[in-house]
Amino acid sequence: MARGAWIARAALRSIPGVRISGQDSFRTHRWHCHELGCLKILRRGGKNKVRMMGALVAVDLGASSGRVVAGRVVDSVVQSREIARFSHAPIQFPRYGKHDDAAGARPLSDTGRVPAIHWDLPRLWQKTVLALRTLENTDVASIGVDTWGVDYGFVAEGEVLGAIRSYRDQRTEGVAGEFVRTVGAQELYQVTGLQMQTFNTIFQLLADGKNEARRAELAVAEKILLLPDLLNFLLCGVMAAELTNASTTGLIDPVHRTWNSSVIERMGKAVGQDLGVKLPDLVQAGNCLGYLNQDVAQLGTTASPARIINVASHDTASAVIAAPLIERSAYISCGTWSLVGVELDSPVVTEASRKANFTNELGVDGTVRYLKNIMGMWVFNGCLAQLREYHPDLTVDKLSEAARSAPALRTVIDINHPVFTHPGDMCQRIQELAQLSDQPVPETPAEIARCVVDSLALAHARAVKEAAALANVDISSVTMVGGGIKNTLLCQLTADACGCPVTAGPVEATATGNLLIQARAHGDVGEDLSELRNIVRSSFDLIHFEPESSVEEWRSAERRVFTHHFL
């Protein structure tokens, strides 16, 4: 192990309540691109079979950054190497009202409206292709793409039409309520199982139907493709909808795991178009969609170009695959969002579940990800970006360390408050919520950061307790994965607030889950989901956090802000 790895492990061990188990996840895999193709010995029936296993490539795009990872599974251990990492962000464009006079129009934002928010699809595509081309001398077996959910694009005559709107665009405001009043909130939840979020695909499409330009694009579109399906189409020319991501749309029947014809028919009437013909066929994770277009990148061999595999294309679904869950364990996939929930065999569509705003998204192998969306590191990172204007040298690590020194539970807020949904002055919003609840107003960077981390841990604990009650399951531990677990203070506080042990790891759970589904599609690992999770345990250090403070302290903090108590 490199000296730096020993230092990293020592630093983690120095944190009170933390212990490390498992294999050494800090070791550096010293293999290069041309070494990714390897001989693998399979022992079946007492005989050795030798065959070539090419590299597996995960294209993992989050809402604020993207990464391309090449890997393989050898002797039940995931070996992976980051090929590229890049940041990205939605682009804001001013919107102008219609006008007749020569003076021109003023931005709609001047009248209280906000700009249109688009994803930079050309940048995402360019960065992905450039990363793939660095592997052109590599034997690549397959590529899998995962992204966030709900957002989509239109395709006609083999090309992408128009812009890809971001779920943070506010064009859906008012649309959701209007449709829900028509259909009925209870009925809609019973047939879709999806929580009420104004950015759900179903409401974005309704908003498109009310916009003249977008309605025209929708009319000529041959297919509506969610973002990972759109990227797969660009890679191989085949259109399909992978189920885990499709389940975020509000257009899926979570019981039968099919497109929901009754909802789609009502949607079609609302927008004046037949949406059913514009939705592609559903496919399961592990499906081989096609072969990489060699004009994009020359990967694989002439006889066998790289395959495009439908992985669990919703990033949370891939992350949960790689969450080393044990019996009676909840999960938290912590990144821009914190997705907090439990893995079930069937959806929960009770009225209590609807009122609690829990969602039933679909996982692999017939599972249901019963969860709640919590504003994750989105608020923390928004505060960091603001604070850097006055403290240019401030980093995530420095701000996290500063939070440790600030008083615990001095000020807590509802981190899931709607005011945090859209970009803007996060620090001011925190201070205003503190004032409204008659708590000390955080002023310094350390106080603001501590408020965010305490509030996020409290939100995690409330969601875990609520999920357990609504799904009628007992929870005795929590597993955290994703980039947010690099904030070890958050992990420790989550253990404290939940009053149970927390196991954290791996950080790159989404890319790992992506790679594991590809490996399973090639027959390189076992079929069972528990077997995939055993591979994760063998591949990464898992960091354990034990509760250190009384849950009563968190109950007291909860009462300052919330009417309904779960702790």
Side-chain angles (χ1 to χ4, degrees):
M1 188 192 308
R3 179 174 179 271
W6 283 110
I7 294 172
R9 289 169 65 88
L12 288 171
R13 286 196 179 101
S14 69
I15 300 171
V18 176
R19 71 181 192 275
I20 299 176
S21 68
Q23 299 294 319
D24 170 28
S25 67
F26 291 93
R27 64 174 174 263
T28 302
H29 297 298
R30 298 184 182 280
W31 39 275
H32 303 283
C33 292
H34 68 276
E35 296 173 310
L36 285 167
C38 67
L39 287 175
K40 183 173 182 180
I41 299 175
L42 301 178
R43 293 179 174 84
R44 293 177 181 169
K47 296 182 179 180
N48 292 344
K49 297 182 180 180
V50 181
R51 63 184 174 85
M52 181 65 71
M53 184 185 74
L56 313 173
V57 179
V59 178
D60 171 26
L61 303 179
S64 59
S65 66
R67 62 207 56 81
V68 177
V69 176
R72 57 187 181 179
V73 180
V74 179
D75 295 331
S76 296
V77 174
V78 176
Q79 295 182 348
S80 61
R81 177 174 180 265
E82 187 174 279
I83 302 303
R85 180 179 290 264
F86 53 91
S87 61
H88 74 93
I91 301 172
Q92 298 189 23
F93 294 96
R95 289 189 290 195
Y96 293 91
K98 293 182 179 180
H99 58 93
D100 299 316
D101 56 71
R106 51 181 187 152
L108 290 177
S109 55
D110 287 353
T111 62
R113 297 280 295 278
V114 297
I117 305 178
H118 300 176
W119 292 111
D120 191 351
L121 180 63
R123 175 178 170 80
L124 289 172
W125 175 246
Q126 180 191 47
K127 291 293 185 180
T128 299
V129 171
L130 289 175
L132 293 176
R133 286 178 179 173
T134 66
L135 297 170
E136 286 194 328
N137 294 322
T138 302
D139 177 16
V140 172
S142 61
I143 302 166
V145 179
D146 67 77
T147 77
W148 61 94
V150 305
D151 291 336
Y152 56 88
F154 301 139
V155 173
E157 298 184 359
E159 295 185 11
V160 180
L161 298 178
I164 310 298
R165 288 293 184 90
S166 167
Y167 63 85
R168 296 199 185 276
D169 187 287
Q170 295 186 43
R171 75 193 193 283
T172 58
E173 291 190 355
V175 173
E178 180 181 337
F179 185 73
V180 169
R181 284 191 295 273
T182 302
V183 177
Q186 288 180 259
E187 180 184 348
L188 188 63
Y189 189 75
Q190 286 173 352
V191 297
T192 67
L194 215 61
Q195 71 183 122
M196 178 67 180
Q197 297 273 26
T198 59
F199 54 65
N200 289 343
T201 310
I202 184 173
F203 303 130
Q204 291 197 49
L205 285 169
L206 284 169
D208 288 343
K210 294 179 177 295
N211 179 281
E212 185 177 337
R214 292 287 285 181
R215 187 168 62 248
E217 289 179 355
L218 179 58
V220 300
E222 296 168 12
K223 294 296 177 186
I224 303 166
L225 295 181
L226 292 167
L227 187 56
D229 302 321
L230 184 63
L231 291 168
N232 281 337
F233 164 70
L234 293 174
L235 289 170
C236 72
V238 182
M239 291 185 281
E242 191 277 320
L243 184 60
T244 66
N245 213 312
S247 72
T248 70
T249 61
L251 302 172
I252 289 289
D253 177 340
V255 174
H256 299 97
R257 302 172 82 89
T258 60
W259 290 119
N260 196 314
S261 57
S262 63
V263 173
I264 292 169
E265 184 178 348
R266 289 190 180 188
M267 281 280 297
K269 290 179 180 178
V271 300
Q273 299 186 40
D274 184 359
L275 294 182
V277 299
K278 297 180 184 294
L279 297 173
D281 292 338
L282 289 168
V283 296
Q284 301 285 340
N287 171 68
C288 179
L289 187 65
Y291 292 91
L292 176 66
N293 180 346
Q294 295 295 286
D295 290 335
V296 174
Q298 296 183 11
L299 304 183
T301 65
T302 303
S304 181
R307 298 178 181 183
I308 305 301
I309 301 290
N310 289 112
V311 296
S313 62
H314 187 230
D315 49 10
T316 307
S318 276
V320 172
I321 290 167
L325 299 176
I326 59 176
E327 190 176 356
R328 299 172 62 198
S329 181
Y331 62 79
I332 301 174
S333 178
C334 187
T336 301
W337 290 89
S338 278
L339 294 309
V340 185
V342 292
E343 191 172 69
L344 302 175
D345 295 326
S346 58
V348 179
V349 292
T350 61
E351 180 62 4
S353 179
R354 181 190 72 80
K355 288 182 176 179
N357 217 21
F358 268 73
T359 200
N360 295 270
E361 296 175 356
L362 302 183
V364 299
D365 300 352
T367 59
V368 173
R369 292 176 286 119
Y370 183 62
L371 59 86
K372 193 166 198 173
N373 285 280
I374 305 291
M375 300 282 182
M377 297 303 288
W378 163 255
V379 179
F380 186 94
N381 293 334
C383 291
L384 175 62
Q386 280 184 264
L387 293 169
R388 276 179 175 158
E389 295 178 13
Y390 307 98
H391 309 275
D393 296 332
L394 196 61
T395 64
V396 171
D397 292 340
K398 288 180 180 179
L399 188 58
S400 299
E401 193 57 35
R404 287 184 183 276
S405 64
L409 298 176
R410 176 176 178 265
T411 306
V412 293
I413 57 169
D414 180 2
I415 203 72
N416 228 27
H417 195 287
V419 299
F420 295 118
T421 301
H422 304 292
D425 192 334
M426 296 295 182
C427 295
Q428 181 179 335
R429 295 169 190 175
I430 289 169
Q431 292 167 336
E432 289 174 352
L433 289 178
Q435 287 179 323
L436 288 172
S437 56
D438 294 322
Q439 297 181 84
V441 176
E443 300 286 353
T444 68
E447 290 172 349
I448 291 170
R450 185 65 189 229
C451 174
V452 172
V453 178
D454 279 346
S455 301
L456 182 52
L458 177 60
H460 286 169
R462 283 171 53 83
V464 166
K465 301 295 184 183
E466 201 174 3
L470 292 167
N472 194 27
V473 296
D474 292 327
I475 298 298
S476 58
S477 66
V478 173
T479 299
M480 295 181 68
V481 298
I485 68 172
K486 289 186 285 188
N487 188 323
T488 54
L489 175 61
L490 175 60
C491 297
Q492 181 60 62
L493 294 177
T494 299
D496 295 343
C498 290
C500 67
V502 165
T503 298
V507 171
E508 296 293 351
T510 302
T512 301
N514 182 320
L515 293 172
L516 285 170
I517 290 299
Q518 291 185 63
R520 189 169 78 168
H522 289 288
D524 296 324
V525 298
E527 290 288 326
D528 196 74
L529 184 55
S530 63
E531 190 169 336
L532 300 186
R533 287 172 176 156
N534 284 335
I535 291 173
V536 174
R537 292 186 188 93
S538 300
S539 305
F540 300 94
D541 278 342
L542 304 179
I543 309 170
H544 303 276
F545 299 84
E546 299 291 338
E548 293 181 346
S549 64
S550 168
V551 173
E552 186 54 44
E553 297 175 27
W554 291 88
R555 291 193 183 114
S556 176
E558 181 186 35
R559 293 187 193 104
R560 286 184 239 154
V561 184
F562 298 100
T563 304
H564 300 290
H565 307 139
F566 296 103
L567 301 188

